[in-house]
Amino acid sequence: MGRPRTPLLDRERITTTALQLVDEQGDFSVPQIAKRLGAQTGSVYHHVDGREGIVELLRERVASAIDPRTLEGTPWDSALEAWARSYRAAFAAHPKAIPLLMTSPVRAPRVLEQYERAVALLLDAGFAAAEVMPLLIALENLVLGSALDLTAPETMWELTEETPTPRLAEALAAVGEGRADRAFEVGLAGFLAHARNLLTPEREVR
């Protein structure tokens, strides 16, 4: 038998193609996916739950690079720090996906499982339930913001003669290379210090 004129579709190929489009242009459309795969748009919909379903497949694909074993470590703050670093690396590989994923609810099962483990880590460490989600959302904001910052020009401030900024020039000259990495370390250290301060000696579980 000859090869089919239309390539066989599956969720993996659809996800890979969608991610390629997002990496290139920051978004995707189902017709674009179909065109790249040599298929009809309707055929793509037979394999996914619409555009929202593809977004969740993208979320799972990008998040699959986060090492969930980091959340099994001890003590809790070392585990959370390792998870944050793995999380940042995963999304830094696909920074154009961040705005797309940040504007839709999280439904992907494997991603929800990781958050379940992160919540359990903090609850078991002694954090009050009301403290857990603000901490995780703050950490997510730090991680994703830093992942985006990695794609920015090393020099984000262009100084001009029209606006004298000698102190800014001095600070920029002193920062050296790796601005984004150094900023992430400052933010992460501050976050962890705040989280540790929330735990009283009576509540903390190491």
Side-chain angles (χ1 to χ4, degrees), residues 23-90:
D23 285 342
E24 293 168 11
Q25 60 192 33
D27 204 349
F28 71 91
S29 70
V30 177
Q32 286 177 321
I33 294 172
K35 182 177 180 180
R36 287 210 175 180
L37 292 175
Q40 297 296 317
T41 300
S43 299
V44 175
Y45 283 114
H46 290 158
H47 296 270
V48 297
D49 186 16
R51 176 181 168 85
E52 291 184 358
I54 297 175
V55 170
E56 286 311 289
L57 290 173
L58 287 172
R59 194 189 306 278
E60 283 208 331
R61 174 68 66 83
V62 175
S64 67
I66 305 173
D67 185 357
R69 295 172 298 178
T70 55
L71 294 169
E72 299 171 1
T74 54
W76 68 267
D77 48 357
S78 295
L80 201 61
E81 178 181 354
W83 186 61
R85 294 185 186 281
S86 183
Y87 194 151
R88 178 180 183 243

Side-chain angles (χ1 to χ4, degrees), residues 177-188:
E177 296 182 358
R179 171 190 57 78
D181 288 332
R182 293 176 64 184
F184 175 68
E185 295 300 330
V186 170
L188 185 58

Side-chain angles (χ1 to χ4, degrees), residues 52-202:
E52 291 184 358
I54 297 175
V55 170
E56 286 311 289
L57 290 173
L58 287 172
R59 194 189 306 278
E60 283 208 331
R61 174 68 66 83
V62 175
S64 67
I66 305 173
D67 185 357
R69 295 172 298 178
T70 55
L71 294 169
E72 299 171 1
T74 54
W76 68 267
D77 48 357
S78 295
L80 201 61
E81 178 181 354
W83 186 61
R85 294 185 186 281
S86 183
Y87 194 151
R88 178 180 183 243
F91 278 81
H94 304 283
K96 290 183 179 180
I98 294 173
L100 178 67
L101 299 179
M102 285 291 289
T103 54
S104 65
V106 180
R107 301 185 183 92
R110 284 184 289 183
V111 178
L112 290 172
E113 288 171 2
Q114 282 210 32
Y115 275 90
E116 172 71 11
R117 296 168 78 168
V119 168
L121 174 74
L122 293 180
L123 290 175
D124 291 346
F127 287 92
E131 298 168 339
V132 170
M133 290 314 299
L135 282 173
L136 290 181
I137 293 169
L139 183 59
E140 182 180 68
N141 290 344
L142 170 64
V143 165
L144 296 179
S146 181
L148 281 174
D149 194 24
L150 286 170
T151 68
E154 187 65 25
T155 302
M156 282 295 295
W157 295 264
E158 294 186 357
L159 308 188
T160 65
E161 294 182 358
E162 290 78 9
T163 307
T165 52
R167 307 305 295 272
L168 176 58
E170 179 184 4
L172 289 173
V175 74
E177 296 182 358
R179 171 190 57 78
D181 288 332
R182 293 176 64 184
F184 175 68
E185 295 300 330
V186 170
L188 185 58
F191 168 84
L192 290 171
H194 172 73
R196 294 185 189 106
N197 286 337
L198 291 176
L199 287 181
T200 63
E202 293 77 19

